[in-house]
Amino acid sequence: MANTSQPVRRTAMLAGAVALLGLVGACGSESSTSSAPQPTKAPRTTHADTGAATRTPTAPAVTTAPGDTAGPASASARTDGRCHTSELRAAVGRVDPGAGQRNFPIVLTNTSDRTCTLYGYPGAAFVDASGAQLGPDPERAPASPVTVTLTPGKSAWAGLSFSSPQISGARTATPAALLVTPPDEHDPLKVRWSAGEVPVGGGESSVSVTALEAGTGP
């Protein structure tokens, strides 16, 4: 037993070496196939012809030179919009009596060089020489107002009516003027009143005004 032959021992040693080499090879193969994944880089967009990187274009800033104006908008502003007090002239037409009533047309004429519009009722107030109002504000007669377009020189009118004081028995006064205020305006136009006394209080003293319409009267 102690004298084992050299060939047998050499054979055993070779077998062990072969087994060890096989184990090492298997470990090396497993390590190479399970390596950690590499981080992915974002793709770079390039021009097809030069390969240069593409950048998103930035819109140029828009600048306006001092003094530039919007021509069409300015023209529109001049041809549209209501008539202002400074662009109108007021007048009171001749009395039109009828059935115990006294009726007067209040006429507004466009004196400007542009076209403008009127819509609704004018304001009206009788005043004395000192400018104090005589009687209450006129009542608005029921109506369906329409927009009246006034080219330069054209007119619109509204009716001012009240019961004849000789018939109604109302308390009266003789105004020095009639103040007429265009619709949606604050400044009145002053018209000299020469048609005599008007009712300012008591029974049947109300004064009424109609909505504006095109023309200078009935």
Side-chain angles (χ1 to χ4, degrees), residues 93-171:
R94 187 177 302 177
V95 62
D96 179 24
Q101 291 284 113
R102 303 189 72 189
N103 309 299
F104 299 86
I106 298 174
V107 181
L108 293 174
T109 301
N110 181 6
T111 60
S112 73
D113 61 355
R114 75 178 186 108
T115 296
C116 58
T117 60
L118 293 172
Y119 177 85
Y121 297 81
F126 293 111
V127 295
D128 61 18
S130 67
Q133 181 169 338
L134 301 172
D137 292 336
E139 300 175 354
R140 292 182 174 183
S144 298
V146 296
T147 298
V148 181
T149 300
L150 298 182
T151 56
K154 294 299 181 179
S155 303
W157 73 281
L160 181 73
S161 302
F162 52 86
S163 297
S164 175
Q166 290 80 6
I167 297 175
S168 68
R171 181 166 54 87

Side-chain angles (χ1 to χ4, degrees), residues 43-119:
R44 192 181 189 195
T45 304
T46 60
H47 293 292
D49 53 350
T50 64
T54 302
R55 294 184 179 181
T56 303
T58 302
V62 178
T63 59
T64 303
D68 284 356
T69 58
S74 298
S76 176
R78 281 183 53 79
T79 56
D80 295 330
R82 73 175 188 270
C83 301
H84 299 287
T85 300
S86 61
E87 300 172 306
L88 298 169
R89 180 180 67 247
V92 177
R94 187 177 302 177
V95 62
D96 179 24
Q101 291 284 113
R102 303 189 72 189
N103 309 299
F104 299 86
I106 298 174
V107 181
L108 293 174
T109 301
N110 181 6
T111 60
S112 73
D113 61 355
R114 75 178 186 108
T115 296
C116 58
T117 60
L118 293 172
Y119 177 85

